[in-house]
Every structure is written in structure tokens, then in C-alpha cells.
Amino acid sequence: MTSADDLFDEMFDEAGAGIQRLGLRSLPFTESPSGASDMDRLRKVFTGRFDELRSVFAQLRGGDRRRILVFGRIGSGKSAFVLQVLATLQRKIPNLLTVYSSLDPDSDLVTTAFIAIAQALPNDPWAQTQLHQLGLATAKPQKERTTEANASFGFGAKLSEKSLAPGELERPAEALQQLIDRARKIYPSGVIVAIDDLDKQDPARVRRLMHDAQGTLKGQASFILTGHPIGMMGDLLTSERGLFDLQIKLTDLDMPTTEKMLAKYLASVRIKPNPNDDPQHPKDIRPFTAAAAKQFCRASRGKPRLFNRLGASVLNTAILQNATQIDLNLLKAGLTSSQMSRRQLARLTDKENRLRTLLNERGTLSDEEILMEDLETLGFRSFNELLPLLEKLEYADLASRNELGYATEFEPLNVDLPFSEFPGS
């Protein structure tokens, strides 16, 4: 009689066999890089952005402190871009400290930078003590020394230890500057702090945090921040031009770059590597057929996060169908599955679902063309009230924002359409 464990073990082995039937060791697609642990994988798959990288490297080569803003639409690959910058700097500049962190919803820019640098200095007792007082894990147990005097009040006094109690960082800006000064003694080439995901915070809150951190951003470390060009970052681009030395905009990738990216992703996990990552060579796009590879790249629309979401869904569909290659029919099934799973993961409310339905029916929604009756049907008085809901659809890769300059416009992001409806097909 087969036990439950045997059944689960068999399912696990079948999944591994399904991946191997496709000629791969593992699934190469991941929604977003998670930091230093993804550096090696990122080095193998990062593609394009050459002009943008050259601009950033030119700013950071001189050793002077720089403030760089990397901005672009949600899912445009900002995290991967910043991590690629840091990985290159680590290889090319000796004695340089680079740290990366996402902005926590409950933290601020100064504290986020402080924690990232302190965690990179495991042998600095002061830095580790500060981490402990923040209630964070340290490289070594933290104690403070106290005296227990005997009756002679000093003679024969002995030392004892007790754990430090968690608290808050006192004078955060001053503490960060002190920490940077300590770090620069170990890393004389400088300190570069990358803080990601500002676009996942409330814009009003981040505007306040940016205002409070302006002195810190102009201090003794270089900073790289990421966000998208509306809300908080839009305000910074128009009203805080002096704050950043360089502003890098990431746009959607073109088709040749997207096709090259697919070949590199597949090569990174291929059981039998090929000498090239040539998207025009059939061996380098296996298990995709040539037609399926092109349609897959068109469906991703040059959006790196959507590319990864679609890729994971398509490969999972191929595994479930015991396929050895991905043709147009299997690709379409995988894209349809992705569309359904993205709707489920978005956990849309009834109002958001009605908005998505309206967007699909109209084809586009903009502040210039939306009808008052549409707003009233959805329970809104103005297009601006719709923006947070439309941005949620965009974050779920169910809608896409078009940059028209004169209007704010969204369109449906459907990838399970007939291939004849894909752009460029």
C-alpha cells in the first residue's frame, strides 16, 4: 500500500523529470531578484540597458559622492538593473562597500541605509550593538558590561554581563554618518547604498521621507534610489532636480533584446549548454520552437517582470502536460493560465473587477476620454480617484500605462489573446 509520503515523493520526482524532459535543470524565471543571493544568476541572464549602465558607471567611477535615481514603470526591471550595477562595481573597484536594501513600509530612508551598512560590518562592535538595539540579529551575541560592587564599594568589584534591550536608533542621521565614517576606514574607495522599492510605498509618505533625508543623501555616501515616474518620483523629477546627479529612465525592452534575454535565461539552466546564446539558433531557444519563442517575447511586451511571470507559467504548463517542447498551442495554454493566475493573485475587489471589465470593454481609459457615466457606475467622481485602482491592475500585470505626455491612459494587458492580435505578429 502506498503511503502519503511515497505519493508526495513520487510527485516531487515527476516534477523534476518534467523539467528535465524540457532539457533544463530548473525553472529559470523568477519574478524579482531578491538581493545579493541572486547576483550570480543575474550575471548570467541580465540583458541590454547598455547606454543606461554606461551613464551610471561614468558617474560612479570618479569616487565622488553621487545621488542617482533609477525610475521606470512597475515591472520594468529596476531591481535587476541596480543589482547589476552593484555587482559590476564590486568586481571592478577594490575596497568599495556596496549595500542593497528594499524600503520597509515601517522604516525610513536613513534607518534603512543604517541597517544595510551595519549588517555589512559584522566585525564592527559599535555597528553590531546598534543593530541589537534595533532588535535585529547580529553577527555575535551582544552584551553590555556592568559592575557588581561588594561591600567595600569598589575594591574587589567584579564584572557581569546582561543582554542589551531592543530600542530605537537615537539621532538616526548622526548615527548613519558615524557609521559611514567607520565604514570608509575599512573601505577607502567609498560606500554606495542602493535603496529599492520606493514605488511600493504610499507616495505622500515617501515624499516626507525624502524631504527628511535630503541632508543624508548629500552626505558622505553615494545613493541609488528606485521608483516609478508618477506619484512621489514624479514630484521629485519636477521639483527636486538638484537632489540627483543622474536620473536614469528604464523603458520596455525592444524585441531583439527580449529575444536575447529568453536565450540567456534558458542557457542559465540548460542541462547541456550550447556555446552561444543566439535567439536565432534553434538549439539556443529550446524547448521553445522558433515561432513560440517569438510569440512569447511579443506577449511579454518587453516588460521584464511580465516576461518572468509568463515564462514561469508557460514552463509549468509544459511540465504538467509532460511536454518535450513548447509549440504555439502549448504556449497559448500557458499564457491563458498566467492570465487567470494573475487575476487570482491580485485579489481584486468587486469594484476593481468592474473597473477591469470596463477597461477591457473600452480598450483604453484616460483622464481626457472617460465618461461621467462610467465614473458614476464605478462610484467615483473623478479620474484621479480611479488611479490607485488602475495602478493596482498595473502592478498585477493586468493593465499597462501608456506615456502620452498630455494624458494619463491605461490599456488592458491581456496575453491570452489570439496570436493574430499580438503586436507585431
Side-chain angles (χ1 to χ4, degrees):
M1 182 176 178
T2 303
S3 69
D5 286 346
D6 291 338
L7 178 61
F8 296 147
D9 290 349
E10 183 179 345
M11 293 168 62
F12 180 83
D13 292 339
E14 286 176 354
I19 296 173
Q20 292 177 13
R21 275 194 296 272
L22 297 170
L24 308 175
R25 297 190 308 274
S26 61
L27 300 181
F29 302 102
T30 182
E31 182 169 317
S32 180
S34 58
S37 60
D38 270 346
M39 287 286 196
D40 184 59
R41 188 191 70 84
L42 185 63
R43 176 181 56 81
K44 297 176 182 178
V45 302
F46 188 87
T47 315
R49 309 293 193 198
F50 299 128
D51 290 341
E52 295 88 345
L53 287 170
R54 291 188 183 98
S55 297
V56 174
F57 293 150
Q59 285 285 329
L60 296 175
R61 274 188 62 92
D64 294 332
R65 301 179 301 278
R66 289 291 184 264
R67 299 168 301 277
I68 297 173
L69 171 66
V70 178
F71 67 101
R73 300 303 310 160
I74 295 171
S76 59
K78 298 183 292 295
S79 299
F81 179 85
V82 169
L83 287 170
Q84 183 62 38
V85 168
L86 297 183
T88 302
L89 295 174
Q90 287 177 352
R91 291 196 307 270
K92 298 298 292 183
I93 303 179
N95 302 315
L96 174 72
L97 176 62
T98 63
V99 297
Y100 169 92
S101 181
S102 295
L103 180 63
D104 188 276
D106 299 321
S107 188
D108 57 71
L109 290 170
V110 176
T111 303
T112 299
F114 184 95
I115 292 171
I117 297 173
Q119 289 176 334
L121 301 176
N123 296 319
D124 187 308
W126 181 80
Q128 296 304 300
T129 297
Q130 300 303 311
L131 284 178
H132 181 80
Q133 289 184 311
L134 287 169
L136 300 173
T138 59
K140 300 176 182 178
Q142 297 298 300
K143 304 288 184 179
E144 68 176 356
R145 306 178 79 185
T146 63
T147 60
E148 292 180 356
N150 59 15
S152 62
F153 293 99
F155 295 100
K158 64 179 181 179
L159 292 173
S160 67
E161 294 185 336
K162 66 179 182 179
S163 297
L164 289 166
E168 294 183 356
L169 191 64
E170 295 184 6
R171 300 175 184 259
E174 295 179 16
L176 177 59
Q177 188 53 59
Q178 181 179 349
L179 182 62
I180 292 172
D181 291 341
R182 297 172 76 94
R184 286 175 65 90
K185 293 178 181 178
I186 306 171
Y187 298 94
S189 295
V191 176
I192 299 179
V193 180
I195 300 180
D196 200 2
D197 291 338
L198 273 70
D199 49 4
K200 296 179 182 177
Q201 313 297 319
D202 174 65
R205 177 177 178 270
V206 178
R207 277 196 296 272
R208 183 175 67 255
L209 294 179
M210 290 294 298
H211 180 270
D212 295 343
Q214 286 195 44
T216 296
L217 294 176
K218 296 178 181 179
Q220 297 301 308
S222 291
F223 282 85
I224 303 175
L225 306 180
T226 72
H228 65 61
I230 60 174
M232 180 275 300
M233 285 299 167
D235 289 349
L236 285 174
L237 290 173
T238 56
S239 63
E240 299 288 352
R241 296 183 184 277
L243 183 58
F244 295 101
D245 300 295
L246 179 66
Q247 301 166 9
I248 292 291
K249 180 179 181 180
L250 300 187
T251 58
D252 295 343
L253 301 172
D254 58 25
M255 272 296 295
T257 303
T258 306
E259 292 173 348
K260 178 72 172 178
M261 185 164 63
L262 175 61
K264 295 190 74 168
Y265 267 75
L266 296 171
S268 71
V269 295
R270 196 178 299 285
I271 294 175
K272 295 180 180 180
N274 296 320
N276 303 306
D277 301 326
D278 182 3
Q280 306 306 319
H281 197 291
K283 288 185 177 181
D284 290 335
I285 54 173
R286 289 178 181 171
F288 288 82
T289 65
K294 285 190 174 295
Q295 293 290 10
F296 170 80
C297 292
R298 287 171 179 159
S300 75
R301 306 192 184 199
K303 301 177 185 295
R305 190 183 61 190
L306 180 60
F307 172 94
N308 277 280
R309 286 178 169 177
L310 297 183
S313 179
V314 169
L315 287 187
N316 279 323
T317 300
I319 292 168
L320 291 174
Q321 295 190 16
N322 296 319
T324 57
Q325 72 170 9
I326 298 170
D327 58 15
L328 288 174
N329 288 329
L330 197 149
L331 173 66
K332 189 172 183 180
L335 296 181
T336 301
S337 174
S338 171
Q339 188 83 1
M340 295 172 60
S341 64
R342 282 180 283 122
R343 287 200 297 264
Q344 293 169 350
L345 289 173
R347 297 180 180 178
L348 302 179
T349 65
D350 289 341
K351 183 175 289 189
E352 290 162 349
N353 264 315
R354 291 200 302 272
L355 175 60
R356 185 182 66 82
T357 300
L358 177 64
L359 181 62
N360 287 336
E361 291 175 350
R362 296 294 167 81
T364 61
L365 288 177
S366 72
D367 52 357
E368 286 198 341
E369 297 181 359
I370 193 166
L371 302 175
M372 183 57 66
E373 63 185 71
D374 294 332
L375 292 171
E376 292 175 351
T377 299
L378 295 168
F380 292 97
R381 293 171 296 180
S382 69
F383 185 82
N384 284 338
E385 293 180 354
L386 282 180
L387 278 177
L389 277 66
L390 288 166
E391 288 179 10
K392 181 177 179 179
L393 294 179
E394 180 187 22
Y395 186 76
D397 286 324
L398 296 171
S400 178
R401 181 183 177 118
N402 299 322
E403 298 183 25
L404 302 179
Y406 59 88
T408 301
E409 181 183 87
F410 287 82
E411 66 175 354
L413 188 51
N414 295 321
V415 298
D416 55 351
L417 301 173
F419 288 136
S420 61
E421 296 186 30
F422 282 128
S425 61

